[in-house]
Amino acid sequence: MTQYILRRLLQVIPVFLGTTLLVYFMVFALPGDPIRALFGDRPPSEAVIAALRQQYNLDQPFWVQYGLFLKNLFTFNLGVDFTGQPIAATLGRIFPVTAMLAVEALAIQAVFGVAFGLIAGLRKGKIFDSTVLVASLVVIAVPTFVLGFVLQLVVGVQLGWAKPTVGSNADWGTLVLPATVLGLVSFAYVLRLTRASVIENMNADYVRTATAKGLSRPRVVLAHILRNSMIPVVTYLGANLGGLMGGAIVTEGIFNVPGVGQKLYQAVIRSEGPTVVAIVSVLVLVFVAANLLVDLLYAWLDPRIRYEK
Amino acid sequence: MATSNVTIDEAGSEERPLLEIRDLAISFQTAGGEFQAVKNAHLTIMPGETVAIVGESGSGKSTTALAAIGLLPENGRVSGGQILLDGEDISHAPERRMIELRGNTIGMVPQDPMSNLNPVWKIGYQVRETLRANGKPNAPADVARVLGEAGLPDSARRAKQYPHEFSGGMRQRALIAIGLSCQPRLLIADEPTSALDVTVQRQILDHLETMTAELGTAVLLITHDLGLAAERADKVVVMYRGNVVEAGPSLELLRNPQHPYTQRLVASAPSLASRRIQAAKAEGIETEELLAPTEAVVEKALSDDVLKVESLSKVFKLRSGVGKSTDFTAVDNVSFNVKRGTTTAIVGESGSGKSTVAQMVLNLLAPTSGRIVFDGVDTSTLNSREIFKFRRRVQPIFQDPYGSLDPMYNIFRTIEEPLRTHKIGDKASREKKVRELLDQVALPQSTMQRYPNELSGGQRQRVAIARALALDPEVIICDEAVSALDVLVQAQVLNLLAELQSNLGLTYLFITHDLAVVRQIADHVCVMQKGKLVETGSTDDVFDSPQQDYTKALLNAIPGASLMLPPVVA
């Protein structure tokens, strides 16, 4: 087991180098001059531009730029962005916010998705089931920005139940609305996945055997139907955590959440290579960690799966 | 007293029956309307008695038993009659009452040990929750005791393992432990051993018999195997299409079946048929006469060995750590010859290596050492084009008629596919060929437009046979080709295979665990155990005078083997 985890962690190295190189190259290849773009309609003197270029190594060829980036990375010196702020400090500010948002969204979709999915599955073909299925289809069909603006207007502004925007003071309470919007889409998938899994498992032979043993209905449902149905659902949720950590550009934009999505968007617009690559590097690590977590969870949930060493 | 209708000898019984089923009718709500699965079922079980319900799949035998423990599927309901448990009608009892009864009054041992244990819980946990739900002591020591009593060795340690770490036989012991853990008064055993090897089957049934006798538990045994029923039960109830057609004391019913269906069942039960051949032999009837379809072929079989297997071995490497591996010898120095136009059976239990031999003969798996010579050519020397040709001449039929047909292909496309793959004929001639093939396997030509899920197991296996025949092969490898079928259907398919053999001069290599089937179809038998060939010879020699202890054990384990029956004229 330990060897398995070590082997998986070693795989991070080529994945990390590959993705950063790719992202760095793509930012490098973006058309336009990032320095000139910074100043808009009133270009500074050529001397200033040259100085800035030198400061950000933009006058160097691609491989040198990438090499310098790696060197800085391994000496824990991420440098400063175009506004002069240390990139490390920016990362330290945006990632906790997005992590909070992601965890809250995940909790919402897990709790409601599994609960509704279980009930719908057990009552397959009944009114509750049909209603939930149609409702979840509507949620899947409506784009996030529509859902986001509608909830912001109705719940945030008209009803006043939650803060319509987050701003600089993000905490669990202020993030409820964006987390709900973010969670809703995957909620529908979690619900459907749970429902399908419950329907498959409730007709399994071992469920009938469990009933024949004289177990009470709640016990059969929890220990035998739900427990076995969680295997694909937990896997999906785990994989989703990685996606949510990548930041939701639209949702964070609507609710003004100072998180990863918003920052990444700005950095891409400004062709800020170092910032983009720094954020993406962290995301790569998050994704790899999330995937490893899913695989380990999977083995824990299903004892038939055991990783060799 | 074998009476062909309703009641079973109730006169003079002072005891009250433990379970009495009267005029039971069960219907299922399906998309096509109401379907009557059980129309008219009756049976009586006295305390401590063993009663078997015999019938083919769809006869309503399992449905009747499930109704007795309140486990009918959601769309099923008792539409008439009574189920009296110790005088109390439980046919419409509320779920709360059934939960009280299940486990400690009525226990169940289900059919398939592979799917009836929850894969995510340890065995001990699954025993423990049963004890706890029925208010019995459930400390780890109690769990170990219950498992130990069911014949599970080293039960305290075993309780900490998961089902997938158990063999089929051990899982079935665990399920028996669960079924009997709360000392129920009635145990419903639904085909408890049909998924197991014969020798394991025998051990488990023996053990079950001992345990229920000690506890005084009455047993309702559901089986499709008449031989097994007669051997294990005091009384046999025969069900056919939802009706109880005959009931009575086991031996009497077998010796003197009244209802035509029972007569057919007795006649085609393979385990009994094999005895019948021997009994007939004693009376001077030539065995060949009874095996008529193969007779003509035996004459044709010259000394022409179409297939020679020479010192064949297969060693699998099992990973046991990084860079380390242990060798597992699945097939160990096996040699045999198959004469053209005859049937050779390879018999053995699961794990004996018989299917590995089949895969190597089919050239799907490379042998570690040894040679397979087909029609004078070593198959390992063939290049890819020659292998393609070889496949035309050697075709397989597999065990699972559900899994070996593509559900998205209709029957025409299924049978036509090999012809198209081998670029034989044009569209019209291929269609003609498919029609001929369907005739050969006795399926109506209208079957062409249907899909596998619309056919029964026997029909699907006929389709698989037609597909195998499409390329006019010389050798057909049947890997457990009839194991998944009901006895009557099995008999039909075996007859079909025998008929095709005599008409087309086919050679069969028959892989099976079922000695009774071997007796019916094979000319030569190879008995395999743990990768080695332990005995080989003509079918008569092996059956009449088995040389090896293992072969004797296999023969003794055939259910019903101990019953002496006079020849039945069916």
Side-chain angles (χ1 to χ4, degrees):
Chain A
M1 193 65 171
T2 324
Q3 283 195 26
Y4 172 78
I5 297 174
L6 272 178
R7 195 156 51 86
R8 286 288 300 266
L9 289 178
L10 279 179
Q11 287 171 0
V12 175
I13 297 169
V15 171
F16 184 81
L17 288 177
T19 38
T20 48
L21 180 63
L22 198 68
V23 173
Y24 212 93
F25 175 74
M26 289 195 294
V27 176
F28 183 86
L30 280 178
D33 183 335
I35 300 295
R36 280 180 203 283
L38 269 183
F39 293 90
D41 293 337
R42 292 185 11 216
S45 69
E46 287 302 315
V48 172
I49 288 180
L52 278 170
R53 273 177 198 280
Q54 203 179 4
Q55 189 191 337
Y56 292 104
N57 300 317
L58 291 174
D59 50 349
Q60 304 286 346
F62 171 71
W63 287 107
V64 178
Q65 284 191 37
Y66 181 67
L68 284 170
F69 160 77
L70 279 186
K71 186 189 133 212
N72 287 337
L73 192 69
F74 289 119
T75 51
F76 297 102
N77 170 22
L78 293 173
V80 293
D81 62 17
F82 287 172
T83 55
Q85 297 216 27
I87 293 175
T90 309
L91 293 184
R93 209 174 54 242
I94 59 175
F95 268 98
V97 174
T98 294
M100 240 196 291
L101 181 64
V103 168
E104 199 166 342
L106 199 71
I108 289 171
Q109 55 183 253
V111 171
F112 290 97
V114 169
F116 281 80
L118 176 65
I119 299 170
L122 292 174
R123 302 192 183 163
K124 184 191 167 203
K126 306 272 169 63
I127 292 175
F128 180 87
D129 181 34
S130 317
T131 316
V132 160
L133 275 186
V134 171
S136 67
L137 198 63
V138 171
V139 171
I140 291 173
V142 174
T144 312
F145 61 86
V146 176
L147 213 59
F149 281 124
V150 168
L151 280 186
Q152 188 178 40
L153 185 70
V154 176
V155 181
V157 179
Q158 294 179 346
L159 295 172
W161 289 352
K163 280 187 76 179
T165 57
V166 177
S168 55
N169 301 316
D171 59 36
W172 297 109
T174 52
L175 285 171
V176 164
L177 216 46
T180 308
V181 171
L182 204 52
L184 264 178
V185 178
S186 296
F187 153 79
Y189 288 109
V190 172
L191 186 157
R192 285 168 168 252
L193 196 59
T194 308
R195 177 183 174 273
S197 196
V198 164
I199 289 172
E200 190 188 318
N201 283 312
M202 71 182 185
N203 292 319
D205 286 347
Y206 55 78
V207 170
R208 199 185 66 185
T209 303
T211 313
K213 294 197 286 198
L215 304 188
S216 65
R217 184 68 184 159
R219 173 119 198 109
V220 173
V221 169
L222 292 178
H224 292 277
I225 299 178
L226 186 62
R227 170 66 176 76
N228 291 54
S229 304
M230 288 319 288
I231 296 169
V233 177
V234 169
T235 313
Y236 176 78
L237 286 173
N240 214 0
L241 181 64
L244 288 170
M245 281 298 292
I249 292 172
V250 175
T251 311
E252 289 190 359
I254 293 172
F255 293 97
N256 193 24
V257 181
V260 173
Q262 221 177 22
K263 189 74 201 169
L264 190 61
Y265 178 69
Q266 289 166 4
V268 171
I269 294 295
R270 289 187 201 154
S271 296
E272 264 184 67
T275 311
V276 174
V277 181
I279 292 178
V280 172
S281 308
V282 177
L283 283 180
V284 169
L285 295 179
V286 169
F287 265 98
V288 172
N291 271 327
L292 182 60
L293 189 73
V294 167
D295 286 346
L296 296 180
L297 263 178
Y298 201 69
W300 176 70
L301 278 170
D302 190 343
R304 285 165 294 185
I305 296 167
R306 285 283 178 261
Y307 297 112
E308 304 243 333
K309 306 293 168 184
Chain B
M1 198 61 229
T3 49
S4 59
N5 56 35
V6 200
T7 36
I8 310 159
D9 190 23
E10 266 179 305
S13 59
E14 288 147 41
E15 267 182 304
R16 185 157 61 169
L18 177 62
L19 182 78
E20 193 180 359
I21 292 178
R22 287 185 190 158
D23 307 322
L24 187 70
I26 297 167
S27 59
F28 285 96
Q29 201 66 47
T30 62
E34 190 130 275
F35 165 69
Q36 284 278 328
V38 175
K39 288 163 199 151
N40 183 18
H42 353 242
L43 62 90
T44 309
I45 304 177
M46 303 306 288
E49 193 179 43
T50 298
V51 173
I53 309 184
V54 182
E56 56 194 8
S57 42
S59 63
K61 58 185 194 304
S62 288
T63 309
T64 305
L66 286 178
I69 189 171
L71 285 178
L72 286 176
E74 249 178 52
N75 59 343
R77 63 182 186 92
V78 175
S79 54
Q82 286 179 308
I83 301 168
L84 300 171
L85 182 78
D86 219 0
E88 174 193 355
D89 185 3
I90 55 167
S91 59
H92 293 94
E95 184 62 14
R96 205 160 30 87
R97 175 68 184 140
M98 290 316 295
I99 288 172
E100 280 170 23
L101 290 175
R102 285 181 204 132
N104 45 16
T105 307
I106 313 175
M108 187 171 93
V109 178
Q111 174 169 17
D112 181 2
M114 294 304 166
S115 64
N116 274 290
L117 286 165
N118 190 330
V120 308
W121 296 115
K122 288 174 182 164
I123 298 287
Y125 180 88
Q126 302 192 43
V127 176
R128 190 168 173 214
E129 66 174 0
T130 316
L131 293 170
R132 194 164 39 193
N134 292 293
K136 302 276 191 246
N138 54 54
D142 298 303
V143 171
R145 177 181 48 78
V146 164
L147 284 169
E149 281 167 5
L152 200 70
D154 198 6
S155 57
R157 192 177 58 83
R158 287 286 186 188
K160 293 185 189 126
Q161 289 186 312
Y162 288 99
H164 70 272
E165 295 167 281
F166 274 38
S167 70
M170 278 160 53
R171 289 188 209 198
Q172 195 57 285
R173 283 177 199 276
L175 283 164
I176 289 174
I178 288 170
L180 287 173
S181 62
C182 306
Q183 290 100 37
R185 297 179 60 201
L186 172 68
L187 184 75
I188 295 175
D190 187 358
E191 305 260 16
T193 55
S194 63
L196 304 173
D197 284 331
V198 271
T199 48
V200 182
Q201 189 175 20
R202 185 165 197 86
Q203 286 166 13
I204 294 219
L205 288 171
D206 284 347
H207 198 87
L208 188 64
E209 207 169 298
T210 319
M211 277 185 86
T212 50
E214 271 170 22
L215 296 168
T217 310
V219 179
L220 179 58
L221 179 69
I222 318 294
T223 179
H224 65 274
D225 189 334
L226 199 53
L228 188 144
E231 197 175 62
R232 301 287 169 178
D234 306 314
K235 286 188 292 195
V236 172
V237 175
V238 181
M239 283 192 77
Y240 179 61
R241 297 199 178 165
N243 292 294
V244 168
V245 294
E246 194 160 357
S250 314
L251 277 178
E252 242 171 82
L253 189 132
L254 278 197
R255 290 212 173 102
N256 192 14
Q258 300 295 320
H259 192 275
Y261 176 74
T262 319
Q263 289 169 354
R264 269 170 65 208
L265 209 58
V266 171
S268 54
S271 51
L272 298 165
S274 59
R275 273 283 149 189
R276 215 168 55 242
I277 290 164
Q278 281 168 322
K281 232 174 153 181
E283 289 171 17
I285 303 168
E286 281 302 305
T287 318
E288 273 72 15
E289 283 175 35
L290 287 160
L291 292 169
T294 45
E295 181 197 15
V297 179
V298 175
E299 283 170 22
K300 257 197 294 184
L302 309 166
S303 56
D304 175 17
D305 288 327
V306 66
L307 190 69
K308 279 189 213 168
V309 171
E310 294 169 4
S311 340
L312 194 67
S313 294
K314 180 73 196 177
V315 179
F316 288 108
K317 298 235 180 274
L318 299 181
R319 281 180 67 178
S320 59
V322 184
K324 282 180 287 182
S325 65
T326 41
D327 285 350
F328 170 69
T329 309
V331 177
D332 192 359
N333 198 16
V334 168
S335 305
F336 61 90
N337 294 344
V338 179
K339 285 190 171 43
R340 194 181 291 279
T342 65
T343 301
T344 301
I346 304 180
V347 196
E349 305 191 333
S350 41
S352 62
K354 57 188 194 301
S355 285
T356 311
V357 170
Q359 289 190 26
M360 288 192 282
V361 172
L362 279 166
N363 216 336
L364 295 172
L365 195 67
T368 308
S369 65
R371 299 202 309 157
I372 295 161
V373 179
F374 174 71
D375 211 9
V377 183
D378 183 349
T379 56
S380 64
T381 63
L382 300 177
N383 63 31
S384 59
R385 212 164 43 96
E386 286 163 338
I387 287 178
F388 194 64
K389 277 191 193 154
F390 164 79
R391 298 227 186 285
R392 245 185 103 161
R393 301 172 64 188
V394 182
Q395 282 283 307
I397 300 172
F398 292 108
Q399 170 170 17
D400 182 5
Y402 298 85
S404 63
L405 300 179
D406 190 327
M408 306 305 284
Y409 279 23
N410 68 18
I411 302 308
F412 171 73
R413 211 174 148 198
T414 301
I415 301 175
E416 188 217 13
E417 194 187 21
L419 294 169
R420 218 174 29 214
T421 307
H422 286 265
K423 300 192 175 61
I424 294 168
D426 53 20
K427 203 159 173 282
S429 72
R430 284 204 292 263
E431 190 179 327
K432 190 163 153 268
K433 177 80 182 172
V434 172
R435 287 182 190 281
E436 280 171 22
L437 287 164
L438 285 172
D439 285 345
Q440 276 179 344
V441 298
L443 282 175
Q445 294 190 356
S446 60
T447 315
M448 286 204 326
Q449 297 312 319
R450 299 173 71 185
Y451 284 84
N453 65 356
E454 300 167 331
L455 303 179
S456 70
Q459 287 174 318
R460 286 182 219 209
Q461 204 56 306
R462 283 170 195 271
V463 172
I465 293 171
R467 178 175 59 183
L469 290 176
L471 296 168
D472 301 317
E474 293 157 47
V475 177
I476 293 188
I477 317 273
C478 304
D479 192 354
E480 301 277 11
V482 294
S483 307
L485 305 174
D486 279 334
V487 274
L488 283 181
V489 182
Q490 191 177 64
Q492 287 164 6
V493 171
L494 286 175
N495 280 338
L496 172 69
L497 286 171
E499 207 174 290
L500 290 168
Q501 182 169 51
S502 61
N503 292 342
L504 306 172
L506 294 170
T507 308
Y508 293 140
L509 183 60
F510 221 91
I511 315 293
T512 182
H513 69 275
D514 192 342
L515 275 163
V517 167
V518 171
R519 183 57 156 151
Q520 287 180 307
I521 190 143
D523 303 302
H524 298 274
V525 184
C526 303
V527 181
M528 282 187 75
Q529 183 193 19
K530 292 180 183 156
K532 288 197 173 68
L533 199 61
V534 293
E535 184 157 0
T536 169
S538 79
T539 307
D540 286 344
D541 289 348
V542 171
F543 273 74
D544 290 348
S545 50
Q547 299 301 310
Q548 300 293 323
D549 290 342
Y550 180 68
T551 316
K552 286 176 194 161
L554 275 180
L555 285 170
N556 281 329
I558 298 177
S562 60
L563 299 167
M564 281 305 288
L565 282 179
V568 175
V569 185

